[in-house]
Amino acid sequence: MAFDRFVMASLLACSVGSSAWAQVAAGEPSAPVEISGTVPNDAVRAALVSRMMSLYGRERVVDRLTLGDGKAATPWQQDVNRLLPSSIKQVSNGQLTMEGRVLDIRGEVSSEAVRQQVIADLTQAAGQSYSVRHHLQVVVPEQVLIDQALANRTVEFEPGSAVLTPAGTQLLNEMARALLKFKGRSFELIGHTDGLGARAANQALSLARAESVKAYLIGKGLAANQLKTRGMGPDQPVASNATEEGRAKNRRIEFKLLI
């Protein structure tokens, strides 16, 4: 049989084959990449497996390919490296298929910028020898939606206490509306402080502030069992504690969606 269709994927829950295909569990960055199906000969098999290993690591790639009649209708073996650009790792729940001289990619990406990058990389790789069809959908990760609602703002408290300021409650009103959209999901509220003062006192203050945020969100309609709290004190700064601006950024509440 002439080998004129090959699905190559590695796209977090994907497919590769003349039926060859590769599969990775979505959302599991260390999950195995399984390649199965039929390839025309050992050379194509070696080229595909080698490229997959360079993209995902030798320990993740599971080779379940079988050999066909040895004939290949396209010079795909020589093109495999450029036709599998590293940017395809940013596609999830999808597949990259090669049928004759047509590359077809479909799946989900996290932003329009990523979508354009993947399309541009494949188009450049295809050159004049192949054409590219794309069906990529932008799906924003849930944690990104929460981070966008927070928009790099900090929940404000009275100095040295867990009492919310009016600005703090106003921000929490917005966050409550955002979190309520995630029906039945749980969240972790993580308190952080700057580096001034005793570490033990800061640890206790960060937890007290997380508990204060939890109580306020419960009053806005979230269930107590949806909200977990943790206090990190000064241990995870996002800016330098040498300036007031940096310390203000470090005094924050983190909202983390739990899987």
Side-chain angles (χ1 to χ4, degrees):
M1 74 175 189
F3 183 72
D4 60 2
R5 182 174 188 276
F6 197 85
V7 182
M8 350 181 194
S10 43
L11 314 177
L12 285 175
C14 35
S15 293
V16 181
S18 165
S19 306
W21 53 288
Q23 198 162 28
V24 187
E28 298 179 23
S30 62
V33 180
E34 182 175 296
I35 316 170
S36 61
T38 304
V39 293
N41 53 50
D42 275 320
V44 172
R45 178 183 198 164
L48 174 63
V49 172
S50 176
R51 180 56 178 160
M52 291 295 227
M53 286 182 174
S54 72
L55 286 172
Y56 292 94
R58 178 178 297 272
E59 69 284 351
R60 293 183 59 191
V61 176
V62 180
D63 176 10
R64 300 193 189 284
L65 294 168
T66 58
L67 298 179
D69 62 7
K71 299 177 182 178
T74 70
W76 188 83
Q77 172 196 340
Q78 295 143 2
D79 298 338
V80 60
N81 282 337
R82 67 184 178 88
L83 292 177
L84 287 171
S86 60
S87 58
I88 67 169
K89 292 171 65 177
Q90 299 180 84
V91 181
S92 62
N93 297 319
Q95 68 180 23
L96 174 62
T97 307
M98 178 176 156
E99 189 163 2
R101 297 278 180 177
V102 178
L103 290 173
D104 185 286
I105 187 166
R106 55 193 66 228
E108 300 173 356
V109 292
S110 61
S111 70
E112 179 61 23
V114 171
R115 191 180 83 89
Q116 294 294 339
Q117 178 190 348
V118 173
I119 293 170
D121 288 352
L122 280 173
T123 301
Q124 181 178 6
Q128 300 298 315
S129 302
Y130 301 88
S131 60
V132 177
R133 294 193 303 234
H134 47 85
H135 313 275
L136 295 175
Q137 179 183 5
V138 176
V139 177
V140 180
E142 292 174 320
Q143 182 62 52
V144 172
L145 295 175
I146 295 173
D147 294 341
Q148 288 175 345
L150 188 59
N152 292 319
R153 295 173 293 175
T154 56
V155 179
E156 295 182 5
F157 298 87
E158 296 295 342
S161 81
V163 177
L164 289 158
T165 66
T169 59
Q170 182 176 347
L171 177 52
L172 287 182
N173 290 338
E174 296 180 36
M175 294 306 299
R177 288 192 292 271
L179 299 182
L180 284 168
K181 294 177 182 178
F182 295 88
K183 304 294 185 182
R185 303 296 295 275
S186 296
F187 309 91
E188 186 172 34
L189 310 172
I190 308 171
H192 301 268
T193 67
D194 60 32
L196 298 183
R199 183 179 180 279
N202 281 331
Q203 196 85 29
L205 178 60
S206 64
L207 179 58
R209 286 179 168 176
E211 290 288 347
S212 181
V213 170
K214 176 179 178 178
Y216 190 87
L217 292 176
I218 290 172
K220 292 298 177 179
L222 280 93
N225 61 7
Q226 287 181 269
L227 303 171
K228 303 181 186 300
T229 57
R230 184 155 51 113
M232 297 303 299
D235 294 346
Q236 294 182 354
V238 293
S240 171
N241 280 306
T243 66
E244 176 51 41
E245 181 182 3
R247 292 191 292 273
K249 290 180 179 179
N250 291 332
R251 298 189 294 266
R252 69 197 191 278
I253 297 292
E254 187 179 353
F255 296 79
K256 182 178 179 182
L257 178 65
L258 299 177
I259 304 300

